[in-house]
Amino acid sequence: MLSAEQSLLFVIDVQGNLYESMHDKLFLLENLKKLIPGVMVFGVPVILTEQIKIGATIPEIAGLMSGVQPFTKGEFSCLGNEKIMDHLKGLKKRQVIVSGIETHVCVYQTVMDLLERGYEVHLVADAVSSRTRGNREIALERMVQEGAKLTSTEIVLFELAKTAEDPRFRDIFKIVK
């Protein structure tokens, strides 16, 4: 199970026109708006990325992450970027929660690289998307076959809380209801 002390969250490329072309984009946004503040309640660090040439992170997401500076990348895999990789190593976390777009491109390649490097990957199925449902589904299946753990926004948040007696649970309950 996830541990707040060992986890970090990737929010990959939720940007401008790319976001606008996502399959079921409002469902994606609804879950990201729970996931991001939810993990922050537990002090889980967030790595925000932006793919070059497609604009800034959408305001609804950027506004949730005060003080989190995005990493700009040209690579599809976040781990192909030296600055992101150095930051990831510096955090010294072994559990990586992954969200963002597109499931079959940047999310997929990042997850494959994380698994190859021995990270425990928790892929938030309701917080990733692609332009087509088919590409999303195929990518999810491939990542699970390779060892990623499929999860959901609420599973992540309740795993981090572990108990209703956690003083932060009230904040999580407000976020998910």
Side-chain angles (χ1 to χ4, degrees):
M1 289 213 315
L2 286 167
S3 154
E5 295 76 26
Q6 286 301 313
S7 297
L8 67 92
L9 171 67
F10 262 105
V11 179
I12 301 173
D13 305 347
V14 185
Q15 299 166 253
N17 289 335
L18 182 60
Y19 165 76
E20 290 300 324
S21 66
M22 288 303 101
H23 169 74
D24 211 357
K25 68 183 178 188
L26 296 178
F27 181 71
L28 169 68
L29 181 60
E30 174 185 321
N31 286 302
L32 287 169
K33 288 170 72 174
K34 294 175 184 174
L35 181 64
I36 295 164
V39 300
M40 293 176 104
V41 164
F42 296 101
V44 170
V46 178
I47 297 176
L48 174 65
T49 69
E50 293 179 343
Q51 187 71 28
I52 60 170
K53 300 182 182 178
I54 57 174
T57 299
I58 63 170
E60 298 92 333
I61 297 303
L64 298 173
M65 294 184 276
S66 177
V68 176
Q69 292 299 314
F71 286 92
T72 303
K73 63 183 182 62
E75 305 80 5
F76 294 132
S77 171
C78 295
L79 276 60
N81 182 286
E82 189 176 329
K83 289 180 182 177
I84 297 171
M85 196 62 212
D86 289 346
H87 185 67
L88 175 64
K89 287 178 185 175
L91 291 171
K92 296 183 175 15
K93 309 286 184 179
R94 296 308 306 159
Q95 297 177 320
V96 182
I97 305 161
V98 179
S99 67
I101 56 180
E102 280 190 85
T103 312
H104 69 291
V105 185
C106 295
V107 170
Y108 172 80
Q109 291 187 29
T110 299
V111 166
M112 290 296 127
D113 282 349
L114 286 164
L115 290 168
E116 184 178 301
R117 288 169 173 80
Y119 287 92
E120 181 181 310
V121 178
H122 295 256
L123 180 60
V124 189
D126 59 3
V128 296
S129 191
S130 292
R131 285 167 286 134
T132 68
R133 180 179 178 172
N135 276 329
R136 179 185 172 277
E137 298 304 319
I138 292 167
L140 288 173
E141 188 174 319
R142 284 277 310 272
M143 290 181 278
V144 169
Q145 287 172 350
E146 295 297 327
K149 297 171 188 275
L150 201 59
T151 193
S152 72
T153 295
E154 288 199 18
I155 291 172
V156 167
L157 299 180
F158 285 94
E159 268 188 42
L160 292 171
K162 305 230 182 314
T163 175
E165 294 173 344
D166 186 306
R168 300 165 290 194
F169 178 73
R170 176 172 276 146
D171 295 328
I172 296 305
F173 187 72
K174 288 177 188 173
I175 290 168
V176 299
K177 73 174 194 170

